[in-house]
Amino acid sequence: MMSRAPFFFLVIVLVFLGSISTYFRHVEIGIPIIPGKQIETWQVEAKIEFIGTSAPINAKLTLPKDVNFELVDEFTASPAYGVSVIRNENQAEVNWNKRAVQGRQILYYQGTYKKVSNVETAPDYNTLPVADILEEPYESAANAFFQTAYAKSGNEESLITEILNRLDTKDQEITLLKSQFGKTELFVHFMHKARIPAKLVKGLVLEDGRRNQQLVPLVKVFINEKWHTINVESHVVGEVEQVLIWQQDSPALLDLEGGRQSRVSFSIAHSMKEALQDSVDSSNKDDILGFSMYQLPIEEQNVFKGILLLPIGALVVVFLRVLVGLKCSGTFMPILIATSFTQTNLLNGLMGFLLIVSLGLMIRSYLSRLNLLLVSRISAVVMVVIAIILISTVLAFRLGITDALTIAFFPMVIMAWTIERMSILWEEEGGSEVLIQGGGSLIVAIIAYLMMDNMLIRHWAFNFLGVHLIILAAILMMGQYTGYRLLELYRFRPMARKH
Amino acid sequence: MGIFNFANPFVLANRGVMGMNQRNFSYISRYNKRELYPNVDDKLKTKHLAIGNGIAVPELIGVVRFQHDVKKVFDLLKRHQGFCIKPAKGSGGKGILVILSTDEKGYKKASGDYVSKDEIIRHISNILAGLFSLGGASDVAVIEALIEFDPIFDGLSHEGVPDIRMIVFQGYPMMAMLRLATHASDGKANLHQGAVGVGINIATGKAKHAVQFDKPIKFHPDTEQPLDQVQITNWESLLRLSASCYEMSGLGYLGVDIVLDKTLGPLVLELNARPGLAIQIANGMGMLPRLKAIEALAKARGFKARPDVKQRVDYAKSQFND
């Protein structure tokens, strides 16, 4: 006998490869384990308006670079402009170019972003910020203000709270300072005075359905080993609001040559997206797989969605035959019937199957009296099946039972062959054997259908091809099972009872 | 345990009962070479092999190979009162038509019903088209002479053919049963259809245990004859006949179906490369201990001197006496 070691090695390799591939696809590509998991995305539209001055236009819009958001999708709309998006480590911007533009112009940039949880890089501690020296009398006022706040605080956090609170008071110093500087500007200044890394950024507050929004000045502060976003105007500290940081370290939001009266405004829309679709989109973009089913046209993908369910059916058939011992006519007939059930749904499919087979058996019994040769009899049965399907579909349609229309999905030749086999079985072994074998086939088909129809299993079969290697390993293992089948325990029960 | 009443698998294993998976994996696929299957799956081939090996089989009346020859069958049948038409590649007894006698009303079946010439033509056409063969491959119809059953089975088999199924492992006759048709089985000898299975002692040819529908019985359900009195005549020659089917077919795990003819003695009806497991129920014992004993024997012998038919039969008679 052949050594079993290579066999078990093969099984282990299959399971290993299957698990690795499944793990990789889940963790690296991010295909969700559970289908239908929704992720939040924000669709942000920047609208740029300006008036052309008959000169060549070069408009540069800085694009968001926020580590907490990932670009999913983007597009631009602009009448007859040359557009290019530049995205590298230092900058992200979109350029519009057009020669000789006159009159009012509107350009659009739309980006879809999803929230990701990345950790922002810590600032360089060697170059802690130093506050600029202000002109007098502002410098003295600022110093006095800072000393008071500093004296009243214990640590960085309480210092920030103290400064934020005092910025809203009507103190002399603060009134003086506010006459010259913005609140946010002052806050950054005081942070630098306290040698806390802080920078001024501009972000978009994400709220569904908002239109004509402007960027909000915000401060990013690094305390407790983390960057915090602070909206000085509204006193909100941390990630209380959803904010997409649009501008940081870069001087201008819009850099326009050849136009005047420019204005940028934003519209925001919130939407949910299938996590699966999202990871597929991003894997397509990066082409991590090199070979990917998702790149096929949708129609072919759907064909594969069906084909990749067949191994599930095969697994069920192997299990029910080898481990349970159910009798069914033919190995793959139940799988094919189950496949048609997935097109028709169970109840319709079952009724359709029983209708076709029982009507077919009746007509077949007439055909048997005609003394036909087998081949022409089978062909006649095929045509009878077609007729039954056609008539019942038309009838159902006239009666308004649209559910029954799906009966047309049954594989004709399989049905004809089933009818022929059942009919012979009936003549030779009687109706009870027809019930046993036909019933067995139907039970197997129904169980296979229930498995193949399961959302989770469908999702796994198509999106995690590694699962099929594991199924193959399971089928191979079952092929080695030499124990009793479940129904044999029933069949051999007199043997266990004796002496 | 309620309606299901399953057997404890450990008890079954302890009694040496072999299951279908083990049969397929450990015996059929290991001892039966695929290329030898046609020797038994094609009954015409089996017949020619048997004749070549001097193994007694029912007389071959003729073969119908082509559709246009179907009508010529009646010329062949003229000289015979009773005959049997079967597909060469049929399985599980499918497509076998037995005609006991011919009279002015037509062809009389074992059940007493008559069939017409047209029905015989249609039956042969079906055989040729492959209706009964595995996978629907086209086939030929084999017509053989009817066996005149040995009167020892009179009153034992109802409306049908009694036959003896012998499991031959590595050439050793190992377990046997007599299959008797009943009214419930509609003249067929298949146990799952209600035929009576009578376990036979390999050493003596005497009945030891009988079942119908898996339940032990003492009397034939239709004829009320006691089943424990059955003694198969010519047992020794029957053992040798089945043992010699090993050399002829080359199959290590083999089912041999034998009928007893009144004048010709035991005849091999057909061979089976995948014999069923019901024989264990008929014998009231599992077959694994015997299979293992023979495997151990072959191992100890070291595959050198191959024992001949007589040695194998003697071994079986001495070891499998219960």
Side-chain angles (χ1 to χ4, degrees), chain B:
Chain B
M1 281 208 288
I3 49 164
F4 288 112
N5 200 7
F6 289 112
N8 181 339
F10 298 103
V11 173
L12 288 184
N14 208 23
R15 303 239 157 103
V17 178
M18 181 160 78
M20 201 63 93
N21 291 330
Q22 192 169 17
R23 181 201 73 169
N24 293 343
F25 186 79
S26 306
Y27 291 94
I28 292 184
S29 67
R30 203 180 303 173
Y31 291 101
N32 291 352
K33 280 194 206 151
R34 224 27 266 190
E35 76 246 30
L36 296 173
Y37 274 48
N39 288 352
V40 298
D41 284 348
D42 185 336
K43 292 188 184 73
L44 192 60
K45 204 165 180 181
T46 313
K47 216 166 192 76
H48 290 313
L49 263 180
I51 294 165
N53 281 268
I55 286 167
V57 288
E59 184 202 342
L60 179 66
I61 296 176
V63 179
V64 182
R65 293 177 193 278
F66 306 105
Q67 186 60 39
H68 55 82
D69 288 340
V70 169
K71 289 206 165 115
K72 293 183 190 160
V73 76
F74 298 104
D75 298 336
L76 289 171
L77 296 178
K78 263 180 201 153
R79 293 177 292 114
H80 296 267
Q81 272 290 302
F83 54 89
C84 171
I85 302 174
K86 52 173 78 166
K89 294 176 191 158
S91 69
K94 285 201 181 78
I96 298 178
L97 178 66
V98 178
I99 301 298
L100 288 183
S101 61
T102 316
D103 55 33
E104 64 281 358
K105 279 196 269 181
Y107 297 93
K108 193 180 172 192
K109 288 203 290 187
S111 61
D113 296 337
Y114 283 89
V115 293
S116 65
K117 279 193 171 188
D118 275 353
E119 279 169 289
I120 287 183
I121 287 174
R122 177 154 58 95
H123 189 79
I124 296 174
S125 300
N126 278 345
I127 290 174
L128 296 183
L131 183 58
F132 308 105
S133 64
L134 290 165
S138 58
D139 204 352
V140 298
V142 177
I143 299 149
E144 27 178 66
L146 201 65
I147 295 133
E148 292 182 65
F149 296 109
D150 193 306
I152 63 155
F153 293 128
D154 283 354
L156 271 182
S157 196
H158 184 79
E159 300 172 352
V161 195
D163 72 353
I164 294 146
R165 157 65 60 90
M166 185 83 73
I167 303 288
V168 180
F169 180 55
Q170 306 261 69
Y172 294 87
M174 188 198 73
M175 200 172 258
M177 73 168 161
L178 174 66
R179 295 187 294 195
L180 303 169
T182 63
H183 180 69
S185 78
D186 194 27
K188 299 212 171 63
N190 287 330
L191 257 54
H192 74 271
Q193 289 172 316
V196 169
V198 184
I200 305 288
N201 186 332
I202 289 284
T204 61
K206 224 178 151 327
K208 57 174 185 175
H209 183 257
V211 292
Q212 186 192 24
F213 288 122
D214 298 346
K215 287 188 195 73
I217 54 169
K218 293 270 178 231
F219 302 94
H220 191 284
D222 304 320
T223 63
E224 313 276 310
Q225 291 283 318
L227 294 166
D228 54 352
Q229 301 301 311
V230 176
Q231 164 70 57
I232 295 173
T233 50
N234 258 334
W235 184 244
E236 174 84 19
S237 63
L238 202 144
L239 285 176
R240 292 200 187 170
L241 183 68
S242 51
S244 57
C245 286
Y246 171 58
E247 275 86 4
M248 165 196 146
S249 67
L251 294 169
Y253 184 82
L254 182 68
V256 182
D257 291 350
I258 296 170
V259 285
L260 290 181
D261 190 272
K262 193 163 70 182
T263 48
L264 302 170
L267 304 175
V268 171
L269 206 55
E270 62 180 82
L271 303 182
N272 199 323
R274 313 165 193 83
L277 300 169
I279 195 166
Q280 299 180 110
I281 303 174
N283 275 272
M285 62 188 292
M287 59 167 79
L288 278 174
R290 293 183 176 188
L291 289 169
K292 296 237 161 81
I294 294 166
E295 278 181 315
L297 200 67
K299 212 172 188 176
R301 204 177 58 232
F303 305 102
K304 286 196 297 282
R306 288 189 165 274
D308 62 19
V309 170
K310 182 176 183 310
Q311 286 169 311
R312 297 199 303 257
V313 168
D314 288 346
Y315 173 84
K317 282 171 75 177
S318 67
Q319 295 294 309
F320 306 143
N321 186 3
D322 53 356

Side-chain angles (χ1 to χ4, degrees), chain A residues 421-442:
Chain A
R421 294 284 282 266
M422 294 289 170
S423 153
I424 295 294
L425 204 61
W426 199 304
E427 282 173 13
E428 297 214 329
E429 318 225 340
S432 61
E433 197 64 21
V434 172
L435 282 183
I436 291 173
Q437 286 202 17
S441 303
L442 266 189

Side-chain angles (χ1 to χ4, degrees), chain A residues 367-396:
Chain A
L367 285 177
S368 79
R369 274 186 264 147
L370 292 181
N371 241 345
L372 297 173
L373 293 178
L374 178 74
V375 181
S376 48
R377 197 169 59 219
I378 297 271
S379 310
V381 173
V382 169
M383 295 188 66
V384 166
V385 169
I386 293 173
I388 294 172
I389 290 176
L390 188 68
I391 291 168
S392 51
T393 306
V394 171
L395 213 66

Side-chain angles (χ1 to χ4, degrees), chain A residues 64-67 120 184-185 187-188 192 198-205 214-221 227-233 239 243-251 253:
Chain A
K65 272 182 82 85
D66 187 337
V67 286
E120 239 172 306
T184 309
E185 218 176 329
F187 182 73
V188 176
H192 288 177
K199 53 188 176 185
L200 183 69
V201 297
K202 283 191 170 175
L204 196 60
V205 177
Q214 297 297 320
L215 295 185
V216 180
L218 299 161
V219 181
K220 290 203 107 176
V221 180
W227 282 105
H228 296 264
T229 310
I230 297 176
N231 187 341
V232 178
E233 298 294 337
E239 309 298 329
V243 176
L244 171 64
I245 304 296
W246 199 286
Q247 248 183 309
Q248 59 184 8
D249 312 326
S250 61
L253 175 63

Side-chain angles (χ1 to χ4, degrees), chain A residues 409-424:
Chain A
F409 286 112
F410 273 107
M412 238 76 70
V413 177
I414 297 291
M415 298 306 288
W417 193 241
T418 304
I419 291 167
E420 184 64 25
R421 294 284 282 266
M422 294 289 170
S423 153
I424 295 294

Side-chain angles (χ1 to χ4, degrees), chain A residues 98-359:
Chain A
K98 194 179 181 182
R99 212 169 273 282
V101 177
Q102 200 170 14
R104 197 177 140 79
Q105 303 288 314
I106 301 178
L107 305 173
Y108 289 99
Y109 168 84
Q110 199 182 75
T112 306
Y113 294 84
K114 68 167 175 181
K115 192 128 177 65
V116 289
S117 42
N118 281 335
V119 178
E120 239 172 306
T121 46
D124 188 356
Y125 288 102
N126 295 323
T127 56
L128 281 180
V130 182
D132 301 330
I133 309 289
L134 303 178
E135 278 174 49
E136 288 299 347
Y138 304 113
E139 179 65 22
S140 309
N143 276 337
F145 176 86
F146 182 72
Q147 295 305 334
T148 323
Y150 192 80
K152 285 190 176 176
S153 63
N155 56 14
E156 290 179 335
E157 268 173 79
S158 56
L159 176 64
I160 289 172
T161 319
E162 186 62 32
I163 291 174
L164 281 175
N165 286 336
R166 290 183 64 83
L167 275 174
D168 281 340
T169 57
K170 299 241 185 297
D171 281 3
Q172 266 189 35
E173 296 107 15
I174 210 68
T175 317
L176 175 67
L177 286 166
K178 272 158 101 178
S179 67
Q180 183 69 20
F181 307 101
K183 249 165 92 178
T184 309
E185 218 176 329
L186 285 170
F187 182 73
V188 176
H189 180 76
F190 292 131
M191 286 297 105
H192 288 177
K193 264 193 178 353
R195 319 246 22 213
I196 296 171
K199 53 188 176 185
L200 183 69
V201 297
K202 283 191 170 175
L204 196 60
V205 177
L206 297 174
E207 244 184 293
D208 189 24
R210 303 304 294 270
R211 308 187 60 208
N212 271 319
Q213 296 294 296
Q214 297 297 320
L215 295 185
V216 180
L218 299 161
V219 181
K220 290 203 107 176
V221 180
F222 192 80
I223 50 168
N224 298 337
E225 302 298 309
K226 247 186 98 183
W227 282 105
H228 296 264
T229 310
I230 297 176
N231 187 341
V232 178
E233 298 294 337
S234 66
H235 281 216
V236 179
V237 183
E239 309 298 329
V240 183
E241 285 177 277
Q242 292 259 47
V243 176
L244 171 64
I245 304 296
W246 199 286
Q247 248 183 309
Q248 59 184 8
D249 312 326
S250 61
L253 175 63
L254 181 69
D255 183 0
L256 179 70
E257 289 169 25
R260 59 187 172 85
Q261 291 181 26
S262 67
R263 191 183 116 90
V264 184
S265 61
F266 298 90
S267 306
I268 303 141
H270 178 236
S271 68
M272 300 302 276
K273 193 178 177 187
E274 284 244 350
L276 170 65
Q277 192 54 45
D278 174 65
S279 52
V280 166
D281 288 346
S282 49
S283 76
N284 269 353
K285 219 167 14 222
D286 304 345
D287 198 24
I288 298 171
L289 293 179
F291 159 79
S292 171
M293 266 195 307
Y294 306 115
Q295 286 157 3
L296 293 174
I298 296 293
E299 202 181 326
E300 274 68 25
Q301 283 194 32
N302 287 337
V303 170
F304 274 105
K305 274 183 186 160
I307 290 175
L308 287 169
L309 285 176
L310 295 181
I312 310 287
L315 181 71
V316 172
V317 169
V318 172
F319 178 83
L320 289 177
R321 283 178 71 121
V322 173
L323 265 63
V324 178
L326 266 186
K327 260 193 191 175
C328 51
S329 48
T331 307
F332 293 106
M333 194 186 97
I335 304 182
L336 289 168
I337 293 175
T339 314
S340 2
F341 283 171
T342 62
Q343 308 278 322
T344 60
N345 93 40
L346 187 58
L347 199 65
N348 293 334
L350 211 54
M351 288 197 303
F353 180 87
L354 293 177
L355 179 80
I356 294 173
V357 171
S358 48
L359 279 176

